[in-house]
Amino acid sequence: MAPASTTEGNLIDPKFTLLEDDKAVWPPYNIAPVVRKEVLDANPDIAEILNAVNTKIDIKTITELNAEVDVNKREYEEVGKEFYDSIK
């Protein structure tokens, strides 16, 4: 037994069993984009892009994306672009 972030890519291995945190000891790993207003004002498309990603990503997806980088040794830029292209 070991404490782990629920989004660690290695957790896709079936030898691991992720226990349910029924006592809510650990906080949820929800994504919340944070961008300064002046950046959004200068680049209004950023909000649309971040919102598109935010609505399509959950713990399972984050874990799978992390596994692509951590386990399959792919470049994170490539994995991120591939994910974004798949949700456009």
Side-chain angles (χ1 to χ4, degrees):
M1 180 175 213
S5 166
T6 56
T7 60
E8 290 182 24
N10 292 331
L11 292 175
I12 64 164
D13 189 322
K15 72 180 177 184
F16 296 111
T17 301
L18 188 60
L19 302 177
E20 180 183 346
D21 180 13
D22 60 345
K23 302 294 184 196
V25 174
W26 298 101
Y29 293 98
N30 297 336
I31 292 177
V34 177
V35 181
R36 290 190 324 262
K37 183 176 180 335
E38 56 267 19
V39 173
L40 282 178
D41 290 345
N43 305 280
D45 292 342
I46 291 174
E48 183 179 330
I49 293 167
L50 290 176
N51 287 332
V53 171
N54 194 43
T55 60
K56 298 291 184 186
I57 201 160
D58 56 17
I59 298 298
K60 180 178 183 280
T61 304
I62 295 171
T63 304
E64 290 169 352
L65 294 171
N66 284 341
E68 286 296 315
V69 174
D70 298 336
V71 177
N72 298 332
K73 305 301 183 199
R74 294 180 59 203
E75 292 295 323
Y76 67 88
E77 295 96 340
E78 177 185 346
V79 173
K81 182 176 181 341
E82 190 175 280
F83 172 73
Y84 179 71
D85 289 345
S86 77
I87 64 169
K88 281 202 248 181

